[in-house]
């Protein structure tokens, strides 16, 4: 039953939005349900955390499916690269990464 509820809540979502949907259910009062959702959330967050690491350490954005909260606009000219090429997509920012932390991640990766 729990898995069905999670699938229904997260079905149209991907990336950070999927993590947000799972995170909403992680605060469940039932210890067994909480443990299940926490395991799923931990596994689902691993690719996101790898993207954060790759962005922060190497300044590389490898997000072919558009699942990361840092997005790139390749149409931006070289003159505006620093200010306008990369931005945050709040819909893809999971709730366990604060707005301030996301802004720091964006800045460090640039």
């Amino acid at each position: 039953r729990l898995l069905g509820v999670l699938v229904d809540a997260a079905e149209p979502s991907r990336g950070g939005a999927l993590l947000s949907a799972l995170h909403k259910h992680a605060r469940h009062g039932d210890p067994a349900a909480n443990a299940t959702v926490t395991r799923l959330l931990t596994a689902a967050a691993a690719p996101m955390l790898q993207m954060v690491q790759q962005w922060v350490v190497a300044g590389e954005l490898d997000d072919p499916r558009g699942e990361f909260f840092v997005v790139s606009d390749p149409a931006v000219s070289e003159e505006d690269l620093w200010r306008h090429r990369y931005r945050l997509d709040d819909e893809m920012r999971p709730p366990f990464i604060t707005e301030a932390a996301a802004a720091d991640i964006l800045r460090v990766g640039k």
Side-chain angles (χ1 to χ4, degrees), residues 3-40:
L3 293 179
V5 169
L6 293 174
V7 167
D8 288 343
E11 189 170 359
S13 304
R14 68 190 200 305
L18 173 64
L19 296 177
S20 294
L22 287 173
H23 189 264
K24 287 178 185 175
H25 289 85
R27 293 177 267 152
H28 198 282
D30 176 31
N34 184 296
T36 299
V37 175
T38 299
R39 277 195 312 272
L40 290 171

Side-chain angles (χ1 to χ4, degrees), residues 64-86:
R65 293 181 195 88
E67 298 175 320
F68 194 39
F69 58 89
V70 174
V71 295
S72 171
D73 182 358
V76 172
S77 67
E78 289 291 322
E79 296 83 37
D80 292 328
L81 186 68
W82 175 257
R83 285 178 290 180
H84 301 290
R85 172 108 187 226
Y86 300 101

Side-chain angles (χ1 to χ4, degrees), residues 80-102:
D80 292 328
L81 186 68
W82 175 257
R83 285 178 290 180
H84 301 290
R85 172 108 187 226
Y86 300 101
R87 65 175 177 78
L88 295 174
D89 180 354
D90 280 331
E91 290 183 17
M92 293 307 238
R93 182 183 55 81
F96 51 83
I97 296 179
T98 65
E99 288 181 37

Side-chain angles (χ1 to χ4, degrees), residues 55-56 69 88 98-110:
W55 174 251
V56 169
F69 58 89
L88 295 174
T98 65
E99 288 181 37
D104 287 344
I105 290 167
L106 173 66
R107 196 173 319 104
V108 170
K110 283 183 173 181

